């Protein structure tokens, strides 16, 4: 048996999943960790990772390494995305993480991130034709899936944290003019993606913390007991728009009081939701499917497939 640990260091959060892979080809998740690190906070136009953010992030990663060390025969792959990808002090940060936390971070491209999102979804959801959107803290990945294949991928360097800092500087009340500017900006971005209109009327598969918050709010309103277990949960456009309207109408404190919306996400939630809302309008899509699985699961399935090809495990079963 092998334990495979995947760390995903994003712009807003750091997450780790440890999966036990058995010799008979079955597997099960044995540990999941999450820390809100806000790595991209106050990077500014200079794209410099700040000391406070580095300190928070390194502490979280050190904790992850200690947790992984509790398991036998552990293999780890740790990847960093938008914030680290864009950082001008990237090399210094990577060296610091290796020295303090003992973790070798691999900076992956936006297209790699989008492809791993696709692998995580296509292996766990019954979708054939769709548009995938993953809104993180510092980037948004889009994938056009046709006949089960990822035919186009792109990563846009805008996410919940940097969009919020740019368009909503007060972080309190959302002004109509600021929201209009943000949505206009997203429309222009999408118009510049030549292949995106081929996803017209297709369902959208959404992942990322800001997008999943929409599902959590809806499930809490329906009094669904396990409101966070939302993989495969579906919503109509009218339901999504109603939640967005309610969120943008509230000030910071009121947003933090919405059931299903984490207080630590309240200051960036409007910037985080807007890429999805704009995409639904741009593609005239009335169906939304939520995924809890993305980059980390995509990396796992790639590793699992390689183990099968090398004959290290039997069969092709799924746990």
């Amino acid at each position: 048996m092998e334990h495979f640990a995947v760390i995903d260091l994003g712009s807003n959060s750091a997450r780790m999943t440890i999966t036990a892979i058995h010799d008979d080809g079955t597997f099960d998740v044995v540990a999941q960790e999450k820390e809100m690190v806000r790595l991209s906070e106050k990077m500014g136009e200079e794209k410099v990772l700040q000391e406070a953010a580095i300190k928070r992030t390194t502490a979280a990663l050190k904790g992850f390494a200690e947790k992984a060390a509790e398991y036998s025969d552990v293999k780890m792959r740790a990847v960093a995305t938008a914030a680290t990808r864009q950082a001008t002090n990237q090399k210094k940060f990577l060296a610091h993480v290796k020295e303090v936390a003992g973790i070798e971070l691999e900076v992956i491209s936006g297209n790699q991130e989008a492809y791993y999102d696709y692998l995580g979804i296509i292996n766990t959801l019954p979708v054939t034709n769709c548009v995938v959107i993953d809104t993180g803290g510092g980037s948004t990945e889009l994938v056009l899936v046709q006949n089960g294949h990822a035919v186009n991928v792109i990563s846009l360097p805008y996410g919940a944290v940097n969009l919020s800092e740019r368009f909503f500087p007060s972080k309190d009340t959302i002004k109509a003019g600021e929201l209009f500017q943000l949505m206009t900006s997203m429309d222009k971005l999408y118009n510049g993606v030549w292949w995106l209109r081929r996803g017209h009327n297709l369902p959208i598969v959404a992942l990322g913390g800001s997008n999943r918050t929409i599902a959590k709010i809806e499930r809490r309103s329906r009094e669904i007991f396990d409101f966070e277990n939302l993989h495969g949960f579906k919503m109509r456009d009218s339901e999504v728009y109603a939640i967005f309207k309610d969120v943008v109408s509230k000030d910071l404190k009121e947003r933090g009081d919405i059931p299903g919306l984490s207080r630590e996400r309240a200051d960036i939630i409007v910037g985080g939701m807007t890429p999805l809302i704009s995409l639904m309008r741009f593609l005239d899509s009335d169906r939304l499917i939520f995924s809890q699985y993305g980059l980390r699961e995509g990396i796992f399935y790639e590793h699992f497939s390689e183990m099968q090809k090398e004959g290290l495990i039997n069969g092709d079963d799924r746990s």
Side-chain angles (χ1 to χ4, degrees), residues 49 84-95 107:
L49 296 175
T84 312
R85 193 160 57 227
Q86 299 167 10
T88 54
N89 54 342
Q90 177 191 117
K91 290 183 179 180
K92 181 180 178 181
F93 171 64
L94 296 177
V107 183

Side-chain angles (χ1 to χ4, degrees), residues 197-230:
R197 288 196 182 276
R198 291 161 58 189
H200 188 253
N201 288 148
L202 289 181
I204 294 174
V205 178
L207 57 155
S210 295
N211 294 335
R212 285 192 288 261
T213 294
I214 296 173
K216 291 178 182 179
I217 293 172
E218 178 68 14
R219 288 169 70 84
R220 282 289 293 269
S221 71
R222 297 186 193 180
E223 298 184 344
I224 297 175
F225 178 71
D226 190 6
F227 76 97
E228 290 199 1
N229 183 19
L230 50 81

